[in-house]
mmCIF file of all heavy atoms in Angstrom:
data_model
loop_
_atom_site.group_PDB
_atom_site.id
_atom_site.type_symbol
_atom_site.label_atom_id
_atom_site.label_comp_id
_atom_site.label_asym_id
_atom_site.label_seq_id
_atom_site.Cartn_x
_atom_site.Cartn_y
_atom_site.Cartn_z
ATOM 1 N N ASP A 119 -12.590 -67.161 1.248
ATOM 2 C CA ASP A 119 -12.410 -67.782 2.498
ATOM 3 C C ASP A 119 -12.163 -66.652 3.523
ATOM 4 O O ASP A 119 -11.311 -65.712 3.356
ATOM 5 C CB ASP A 119 -11.469 -68.875 2.517
ATOM 6 C CG ASP A 119 -12.103 -70.170 2.070
ATOM 7 O OD1 ASP A 119 -13.066 -70.753 2.863
ATOM 8 O OD2 ASP A 119 -11.666 -70.678 1.048
ATOM 9 N N ASN A 147 0.843 -75.398 21.809
ATOM 10 C CA ASN A 147 1.151 -75.107 20.522
ATOM 11 C C ASN A 147 1.262 -73.569 20.181
ATOM 12 O O ASN A 147 1.762 -73.079 19.209
ATOM 13 C CB ASN A 147 0.155 -75.770 19.562
ATOM 14 C CG ASN A 147 -1.343 -75.365 19.902
ATOM 15 O OD1 ASN A 147 -1.636 -74.506 20.786
ATOM 16 N ND2 ASN A 147 -2.217 -75.965 19.234
ATOM 17 N N HIS A 150 4.317 -71.929 18.774
ATOM 18 C CA HIS A 150 4.962 -72.692 17.704
ATOM 19 C C HIS A 150 4.232 -72.392 16.416
ATOM 20 O O HIS A 150 4.789 -72.548 15.352
ATOM 21 C CB HIS A 150 5.007 -74.191 17.857
ATOM 22 C CG HIS A 150 5.807 -74.526 19.082
ATOM 23 N ND1 HIS A 150 7.220 -74.691 18.939
ATOM 24 C CD2 HIS A 150 5.645 -74.872 20.389
ATOM 25 C CE1 HIS A 150 7.785 -75.066 20.051
ATOM 26 N NE2 HIS A 150 6.780 -75.092 20.954
ATOM 27 N N HIS A 156 -11.228 -71.360 10.312
ATOM 28 C CA HIS A 156 -12.103 -70.673 9.293
ATOM 29 C C HIS A 156 -13.392 -70.189 9.959
ATOM 30 O O HIS A 156 -14.131 -70.821 10.744
ATOM 31 C CB HIS A 156 -12.445 -71.696 8.245
ATOM 32 C CG HIS A 156 -11.318 -72.050 7.362
ATOM 33 N ND1 HIS A 156 -10.361 -73.012 7.464
ATOM 34 C CD2 HIS A 156 -10.800 -71.354 6.070
ATOM 35 C CE1 HIS A 156 -9.435 -73.034 6.533
ATOM 36 N NE2 HIS A 156 -9.760 -72.062 5.723
ATOM 37 N N ARG A 158 -17.205 -67.801 8.879
ATOM 38 C CA ARG A 158 -18.207 -67.909 7.770
ATOM 39 C C ARG A 158 -18.075 -66.620 6.852
ATOM 40 O O ARG A 158 -18.384 -65.531 7.361
ATOM 41 C CB ARG A 158 -19.581 -67.852 8.513
ATOM 42 C CG ARG A 158 -20.667 -68.177 7.573
ATOM 43 C CD ARG A 158 -21.979 -68.643 8.297
ATOM 44 N NE ARG A 158 -22.927 -69.213 7.263
ATOM 45 C CZ ARG A 158 -23.008 -70.269 6.776
ATOM 46 N NH1 ARG A 158 -22.123 -71.262 7.039
ATOM 47 N NH2 ARG A 158 -23.928 -70.583 5.868
ATOM 48 N N SER A 159 -17.636 -66.789 5.743
ATOM 49 C CA SER A 159 -17.445 -65.781 4.764
ATOM 50 C C SER A 159 -18.804 -65.105 4.280
ATOM 51 O O SER A 159 -18.941 -63.950 3.974
ATOM 52 C CB SER A 159 -16.652 -66.186 3.582
ATOM 53 O OG SER A 159 -17.271 -67.288 2.821
ATOM 54 N N GLY A 160 -19.889 -65.931 4.329
ATOM 55 C CA GLY A 160 -21.157 -65.387 3.856
ATOM 56 C C GLY A 160 -21.845 -64.494 4.855
ATOM 57 O O GLY A 160 -22.837 -63.909 4.515
ATOM 58 N N GLN A 175 -27.694 -72.125 22.026
ATOM 59 C CA GLN A 175 -27.595 -72.955 23.235
ATOM 60 C C GLN A 175 -26.571 -72.319 24.115
ATOM 61 O O GLN A 175 -25.417 -72.028 23.810
ATOM 62 C CB GLN A 175 -27.153 -74.442 22.935
ATOM 63 C CG GLN A 175 -28.147 -75.160 22.143
ATOM 64 C CD GLN A 175 -27.874 -76.726 22.220
ATOM 65 O OE1 GLN A 175 -27.271 -77.160 23.093
ATOM 66 N NE2 GLN A 175 -28.459 -77.474 21.209
ATOM 67 N N ASP A 210 0.714 -75.220 -3.649
ATOM 68 C CA ASP A 210 1.760 -74.195 -3.501
ATOM 69 C C ASP A 210 1.604 -73.492 -2.130
ATOM 70 O O ASP A 210 0.561 -73.510 -1.496
ATOM 71 C CB ASP A 210 1.720 -73.092 -4.584
ATOM 72 C CG ASP A 210 2.282 -73.660 -5.943
ATOM 73 O OD1 ASP A 210 2.868 -74.851 -5.884
ATOM 74 O OD2 ASP A 210 2.011 -73.085 -6.934
ATOM 75 N N TRP A 238 -19.904 -73.179 25.209
ATOM 76 C CA TRP A 238 -20.598 -74.407 25.207
ATOM 77 C C TRP A 238 -20.299 -75.302 24.052
ATOM 78 O O TRP A 238 -20.112 -76.433 24.103
ATOM 79 C CB TRP A 238 -22.078 -74.216 25.407
ATOM 80 C CG TRP A 238 -23.054 -75.393 25.320
ATOM 81 C CD1 TRP A 238 -24.145 -75.529 24.476
ATOM 82 C CD2 TRP A 238 -22.987 -76.650 26.008
ATOM 83 N NE1 TRP A 238 -24.677 -76.652 24.566
ATOM 84 C CE2 TRP A 238 -24.076 -77.383 25.560
ATOM 85 C CE3 TRP A 238 -22.076 -77.174 26.944
ATOM 86 C CZ2 TRP A 238 -24.241 -78.716 25.986
ATOM 87 C CZ3 TRP A 238 -22.347 -78.400 27.449
ATOM 88 C CH2 TRP A 238 -23.298 -79.263 26.896
ATOM 89 N N VAL A 241 -15.627 -76.980 22.107
ATOM 90 C CA VAL A 241 -14.811 -78.255 22.214
ATOM 91 C C VAL A 241 -15.538 -79.356 21.645
ATOM 92 O O VAL A 241 -16.747 -79.531 21.763
ATOM 93 C CB VAL A 241 -14.636 -78.502 23.663
ATOM 94 C CG1 VAL A 241 -13.877 -79.894 23.855
ATOM 95 C CG2 VAL A 241 -13.887 -77.481 24.547
ATOM 96 N N LEU A 247 -21.189 -71.209 15.956
ATOM 97 C CA LEU A 247 -22.320 -70.378 16.030
ATOM 98 C C LEU A 247 -21.976 -69.184 16.846
ATOM 99 O O LEU A 247 -22.668 -68.100 16.806
ATOM 100 C CB LEU A 247 -23.482 -71.092 16.504
ATOM 101 C CG LEU A 247 -24.171 -72.235 15.565
ATOM 102 C CD1 LEU A 247 -25.348 -72.785 16.155
ATOM 103 C CD2 LEU A 247 -24.347 -71.665 14.242
ATOM 104 N N SER A 250 -20.460 -67.082 13.937
ATOM 105 C CA SER A 250 -20.879 -67.127 12.524
ATOM 106 C C SER A 250 -22.040 -66.209 12.250
ATOM 107 O O SER A 250 -22.443 -66.006 10.957
ATOM 108 C CB SER A 250 -21.252 -68.421 12.045
ATOM 109 O OG SER A 250 -22.463 -68.923 12.775
ATOM 110 N N TYR A 282 10.257 -72.219 8.521
ATOM 111 C CA TYR A 282 9.275 -71.535 7.502
ATOM 112 C C TYR A 282 8.520 -70.261 8.177
ATOM 113 O O TYR A 282 8.014 -69.496 7.436
ATOM 114 C CB TYR A 282 8.173 -72.518 6.966
ATOM 115 C CG TYR A 282 7.214 -73.031 7.971
ATOM 116 C CD1 TYR A 282 5.829 -72.378 7.862
ATOM 117 C CD2 TYR A 282 7.418 -73.940 8.934
ATOM 118 C CE1 TYR A 282 4.787 -72.752 8.661
ATOM 119 C CE2 TYR A 282 6.252 -74.237 9.815
ATOM 120 C CZ TYR A 282 5.036 -73.662 9.591
ATOM 121 O OH TYR A 282 3.954 -73.995 10.442
ATOM 122 N N HIS A 325 1.783 -69.729 7.110
ATOM 123 C CA HIS A 325 1.255 -70.774 7.835
ATOM 124 C C HIS A 325 0.072 -71.401 7.103
ATOM 125 O O HIS A 325 -0.097 -72.581 6.898
ATOM 126 C CB HIS A 325 1.012 -70.502 9.306
ATOM 127 C CG HIS A 325 0.679 -71.644 10.116
ATOM 128 N ND1 HIS A 325 1.390 -72.765 10.295
ATOM 129 C CD2 HIS A 325 -0.588 -71.949 10.664
ATOM 130 C CE1 HIS A 325 0.808 -73.717 10.987
ATOM 131 N NE2 HIS A 325 -0.478 -73.143 11.284
ATOM 132 N N ASN A 329 0.620 -75.907 3.990
ATOM 133 C CA ASN A 329 0.022 -77.347 3.703
ATOM 134 C C ASN A 329 -0.528 -77.363 2.204
ATOM 135 O O ASN A 329 -1.026 -78.441 1.824
ATOM 136 C CB ASN A 329 -1.088 -77.615 4.665
ATOM 137 C CG ASN A 329 -2.341 -76.779 4.401
ATOM 138 O OD1 ASN A 329 -2.235 -75.755 3.764
ATOM 139 N ND2 ASN A 329 -3.488 -77.183 4.978
ATOM 140 N N SER A 332 -4.633 -73.339 -1.256
ATOM 141 C CA SER A 332 -4.574 -72.175 -2.080
ATOM 142 C C SER A 332 -5.375 -71.050 -1.576
ATOM 143 O O SER A 332 -6.123 -71.105 -0.687
ATOM 144 C CB SER A 332 -5.166 -72.564 -3.462
ATOM 145 O OG SER A 332 -6.440 -73.183 -3.354
ATOM 146 N N ASP A 337 -9.981 -63.573 -0.394
ATOM 147 C CA ASP A 337 -9.734 -64.081 0.843
ATOM 148 C C ASP A 337 -9.418 -63.095 1.862
ATOM 149 O O ASP A 337 -8.734 -62.158 1.583
ATOM 150 C CB ASP A 337 -8.682 -65.144 0.699
ATOM 151 C CG ASP A 337 -9.115 -66.454 0.065
ATOM 152 O OD1 ASP A 337 -10.241 -66.685 -0.222
ATOM 153 O OD2 ASP A 337 -8.150 -67.405 -0.111
ATOM 154 N N ARG A 410 -34.544 -61.922 17.375
ATOM 155 C CA ARG A 410 -35.724 -62.214 16.735
ATOM 156 C C ARG A 410 -36.546 -63.282 17.474
ATOM 157 O O ARG A 410 -35.939 -64.254 17.956
ATOM 158 C CB ARG A 410 -35.598 -62.568 15.264
ATOM 159 C CG ARG A 410 -34.908 -61.459 14.421
ATOM 160 C CD ARG A 410 -35.211 -61.484 13.024
ATOM 161 N NE ARG A 410 -34.410 -60.434 12.328
ATOM 162 C CZ ARG A 410 -34.102 -60.382 11.118
ATOM 163 N NH1 ARG A 410 -34.434 -61.451 10.370
ATOM 164 N NH2 ARG A 410 -33.457 -59.462 10.486
ATOM 165 N N ASP B 119 -19.978 -71.065 1.589
ATOM 166 C CA ASP B 119 -19.307 -71.570 2.825
ATOM 167 C C ASP B 119 -19.331 -73.087 2.895
ATOM 168 O O ASP B 119 -20.420 -73.731 2.397
ATOM 169 C CB ASP B 119 -20.102 -70.954 4.109
ATOM 170 C CG ASP B 119 -19.497 -69.676 4.338
ATOM 171 O OD1 ASP B 119 -18.252 -69.489 4.639
ATOM 172 O OD2 ASP B 119 -20.231 -68.633 4.231
ATOM 173 N N ASN B 147 -21.241 -81.781 25.131
ATOM 174 C CA ASN B 147 -22.105 -81.060 24.367
ATOM 175 C C ASN B 147 -22.645 -81.900 23.261
ATOM 176 O O ASN B 147 -23.619 -81.629 22.620
ATOM 177 C CB ASN B 147 -21.543 -79.746 23.819
ATOM 178 C CG ASN B 147 -20.131 -80.070 23.122
ATOM 179 O OD1 ASN B 147 -19.720 -81.233 23.064
ATOM 180 N ND2 ASN B 147 -19.393 -78.908 22.824
ATOM 181 N N HIS B 150 -26.191 -82.769 22.666
ATOM 182 C CA HIS B 150 -27.005 -81.654 22.874
ATOM 183 C C HIS B 150 -27.128 -80.798 21.418
ATOM 184 O O HIS B 150 -28.192 -80.146 21.262
ATOM 185 C CB HIS B 150 -26.672 -80.712 23.980
ATOM 186 C CG HIS B 150 -26.940 -81.385 25.275
ATOM 187 N ND1 HIS B 150 -28.214 -81.422 25.940
ATOM 188 C CD2 HIS B 150 -26.173 -82.051 26.090
ATOM 189 C CE1 HIS B 150 -28.072 -82.003 26.982
ATOM 190 N NE2 HIS B 150 -26.945 -82.404 27.173
ATOM 191 N N HIS B 156 -16.324 -74.503 10.374
ATOM 192 C CA HIS B 156 -16.226 -74.083 8.982
ATOM 193 C C HIS B 156 -14.873 -74.698 8.461
ATOM 194 O O HIS B 156 -13.830 -74.663 8.966
ATOM 195 C CB HIS B 156 -16.247 -72.604 8.857
ATOM 196 C CG HIS B 156 -17.509 -72.025 9.026
ATOM 197 N ND1 HIS B 156 -18.020 -71.625 10.195
ATOM 198 C CD2 HIS B 156 -18.651 -71.765 8.078
ATOM 199 C CE1 HIS B 156 -19.265 -71.100 10.022
ATOM 200 N NE2 HIS B 156 -19.634 -71.145 8.739
ATOM 201 N N ARG B 158 -12.467 -74.983 4.563
ATOM 202 C CA ARG B 158 -12.041 -74.052 3.475
ATOM 203 C C ARG B 158 -12.692 -74.392 2.209
ATOM 204 O O ARG B 158 -12.545 -75.374 1.585
ATOM 205 C CB ARG B 158 -10.498 -74.230 3.372
ATOM 206 C CG ARG B 158 -9.909 -73.137 2.446
ATOM 207 C CD ARG B 158 -8.303 -73.040 2.598
ATOM 208 N NE ARG B 158 -7.844 -71.935 1.851
ATOM 209 C CZ ARG B 158 -7.811 -70.651 2.366
ATOM 210 N NH1 ARG B 158 -8.292 -70.408 3.500
ATOM 211 N NH2 ARG B 158 -7.275 -69.669 1.589
ATOM 212 N N SER B 159 -13.550 -73.379 1.776
ATOM 213 C CA SER B 159 -14.365 -73.646 0.560
ATOM 214 C C SER B 159 -13.480 -73.486 -0.745
ATOM 215 O O SER B 159 -13.749 -74.093 -1.716
ATOM 216 C CB SER B 159 -15.502 -72.568 0.531
ATOM 217 O OG SER B 159 -15.100 -71.318 0.534
ATOM 218 N N GLY B 160 -12.502 -72.713 -0.641
ATOM 219 C CA GLY B 160 -11.621 -72.557 -1.829
ATOM 220 C C GLY B 160 -10.768 -73.766 -2.159
ATOM 221 O O GLY B 160 -10.112 -73.724 -3.238
ATOM 222 N N GLN B 175 3.318 -78.830 10.617
ATOM 223 C CA GLN B 175 3.855 -79.082 11.975
ATOM 224 C C GLN B 175 3.371 -80.328 12.556
ATOM 225 O O GLN B 175 2.076 -80.401 12.523
ATOM 226 C CB GLN B 175 3.710 -77.932 12.878
ATOM 227 C CG GLN B 175 4.513 -76.702 12.507
ATOM 228 C CD GLN B 175 4.461 -75.662 13.659
ATOM 229 O OE1 GLN B 175 4.392 -76.022 14.925
ATOM 230 N NE2 GLN B 175 4.667 -74.421 13.354
ATOM 231 N N ASP B 210 -32.316 -64.586 9.906
ATOM 232 C CA ASP B 210 -33.312 -65.517 9.861
ATOM 233 C C ASP B 210 -32.714 -66.966 10.104
ATOM 234 O O ASP B 210 -31.523 -67.170 10.061
ATOM 235 C CB ASP B 210 -34.091 -65.584 8.612
ATOM 236 C CG ASP B 210 -34.941 -64.419 8.325
ATOM 237 O OD1 ASP B 210 -35.212 -63.811 9.318
ATOM 238 O OD2 ASP B 210 -35.358 -64.101 7.156
ATOM 239 N N TRP B 238 -1.928 -81.735 16.589
ATOM 240 C CA TRP B 238 -0.976 -80.733 17.202
ATOM 241 C C TRP B 238 -1.667 -79.403 17.173
ATOM 242 O O TRP B 238 -1.553 -78.602 18.028
ATOM 243 C CB TRP B 238 0.288 -80.619 16.457
ATOM 244 C CG TRP B 238 1.313 -79.596 16.757
ATOM 245 C CD1 TRP B 238 1.936 -78.820 15.929
ATOM 246 C CD2 TRP B 238 1.774 -79.181 18.064
ATOM 247 N NE1 TRP B 238 2.700 -77.865 16.584
ATOM 248 C CE2 TRP B 238 2.627 -78.161 17.856
ATOM 249 C CE3 TRP B 238 1.517 -79.647 19.436
ATOM 250 C CZ2 TRP B 238 3.312 -77.442 19.008
ATOM 251 C CZ3 TRP B 238 2.225 -78.844 20.483
ATOM 252 C CH2 TRP B 238 3.069 -77.954 20.191
ATOM 253 N N VAL B 241 -6.233 -77.666 19.301
ATOM 254 C CA VAL B 241 -6.694 -77.013 20.498
ATOM 255 C C VAL B 241 -6.211 -75.560 20.509
ATOM 256 O O VAL B 241 -4.962 -75.368 20.274
ATOM 257 C CB VAL B 241 -6.161 -77.870 21.635
ATOM 258 C CG1 VAL B 241 -6.436 -77.098 22.989
ATOM 259 C CG2 VAL B 241 -6.697 -79.164 21.791
ATOM 260 N N LEU B 247 -5.122 -76.526 9.342
ATOM 261 C CA LEU B 247 -4.307 -77.069 8.088
ATOM 262 C C LEU B 247 -4.303 -78.542 7.942
ATOM 263 O O LEU B 247 -4.034 -79.100 6.943
ATOM 264 C CB LEU B 247 -2.834 -76.595 8.442
ATOM 265 C CG LEU B 247 -2.591 -75.137 8.426
ATOM 266 C CD1 LEU B 247 -1.064 -74.741 8.565
ATOM 267 C CD2 LEU B 247 -3.056 -74.392 7.242
ATOM 268 N N SER B 250 -7.404 -78.288 5.529
ATOM 269 C CA SER B 250 -7.715 -77.304 4.505
ATOM 270 C C SER B 250 -7.038 -77.462 3.183
ATOM 271 O O SER B 250 -7.237 -76.710 2.246
ATOM 272 C CB SER B 250 -7.326 -75.804 5.101
ATOM 273 O OG SER B 250 -5.881 -75.823 5.320
ATOM 274 N N TYR B 282 -35.885 -76.702 19.276
ATOM 275 C CA TYR B 282 -35.654 -76.263 17.923
ATOM 276 C C TYR B 282 -34.938 -77.469 17.122
ATOM 277 O O TYR B 282 -34.995 -77.518 15.869
ATOM 278 C CB TYR B 282 -34.699 -75.020 17.836
ATOM 279 C CG TYR B 282 -33.312 -75.208 18.174
ATOM 280 C CD1 TYR B 282 -32.280 -75.317 17.051
ATOM 281 C CD2 TYR B 282 -32.800 -75.242 19.423
ATOM 282 C CE1 TYR B 282 -30.968 -75.445 17.336
ATOM 283 C CE2 TYR B 282 -31.494 -75.396 19.630
ATOM 284 C CZ TYR B 282 -30.487 -75.482 18.697
ATOM 285 O OH TYR B 282 -29.190 -75.532 18.970
ATOM 286 N N HIS B 325 -29.586 -76.018 13.101
ATOM 287 C CA HIS B 325 -28.601 -75.494 14.037
ATOM 288 C C HIS B 325 -27.662 -74.449 13.466
ATOM 289 O O HIS B 325 -27.354 -73.458 14.117
ATOM 290 C CB HIS B 325 -27.807 -76.799 14.631
ATOM 291 C CG HIS B 325 -26.867 -76.314 15.760
ATOM 292 N ND1 HIS B 325 -27.193 -75.870 16.810
ATOM 293 C CD2 HIS B 325 -25.449 -76.303 15.750
ATOM 294 C CE1 HIS B 325 -26.117 -75.601 17.632
ATOM 295 N NE2 HIS B 325 -25.029 -75.810 16.967
ATOM 296 N N ASN B 329 -28.658 -69.086 14.877
ATOM 297 C CA ASN B 329 -28.070 -67.944 15.428
ATOM 298 C C ASN B 329 -28.278 -66.759 14.380
ATOM 299 O O ASN B 329 -27.740 -65.746 14.722
ATOM 300 C CB ASN B 329 -26.657 -68.101 15.759
ATOM 301 C CG ASN B 329 -25.745 -68.273 14.467
ATOM 302 O OD1 ASN B 329 -26.293 -68.608 13.333
ATOM 303 N ND2 ASN B 329 -24.542 -68.236 14.600
ATOM 304 N N SER B 332 -26.916 -66.640 7.809
ATOM 305 C CA SER B 332 -27.597 -66.736 6.514
ATOM 306 C C SER B 332 -26.879 -67.870 5.721
ATOM 307 O O SER B 332 -25.738 -68.202 5.981
ATOM 308 C CB SER B 332 -27.516 -65.439 5.729
ATOM 309 O OG SER B 332 -26.243 -64.911 5.632
ATOM 310 N N ASP B 337 -23.706 -73.058 -0.833
ATOM 311 C CA ASP B 337 -23.146 -73.467 0.431
ATOM 312 C C ASP B 337 -23.152 -75.094 0.568
ATOM 313 O O ASP B 337 -24.208 -75.622 0.057
ATOM 314 C CB ASP B 337 -23.971 -72.970 1.602
ATOM 315 C CG ASP B 337 -23.568 -71.522 2.067
ATOM 316 O OD1 ASP B 337 -22.697 -70.882 1.410
ATOM 317 O OD2 ASP B 337 -24.289 -70.837 2.866
ATOM 318 N N ARG B 410 5.320 -81.600 -1.989
ATOM 319 C CA ARG B 410 6.301 -80.848 -2.758
ATOM 320 C C ARG B 410 7.431 -80.467 -2.004
ATOM 321 O O ARG B 410 7.368 -80.102 -0.750
ATOM 322 C CB ARG B 410 5.555 -79.561 -3.265
ATOM 323 C CG ARG B 410 4.412 -79.997 -4.173
ATOM 324 C CD ARG B 410 4.035 -78.948 -5.303
ATOM 325 N NE ARG B 410 2.860 -79.358 -5.967
ATOM 326 C CZ ARG B 410 1.992 -78.600 -6.571
ATOM 327 N NH1 ARG B 410 2.156 -77.273 -6.505
ATOM 328 N NH2 ARG B 410 1.014 -78.984 -7.347
#
Side-chain angles (χ1 to χ4, degrees):
Chain A
D119 273 296
N147 51 10
H150 291 280
H156 286 90
R158 190 164 186 83
S159 59
Q175 291 197 26
D210 286 346
W238 169 234
V241 176
L247 297 182
S250 64
Y282 77 101
H325 183 65
N329 67 344
S332 48
D337 280 354
R410 297 208 181 151
Chain B
D119 274 296
N147 51 10
H150 292 280
H156 286 90
R158 190 164 186 82
S159 59
Q175 292 196 26
D210 286 346
W238 170 234
V241 175
L247 297 183
S250 64
Y282 77 101
H325 184 65
N329 68 344
S332 48
D337 280 355
R410 297 207 182 152

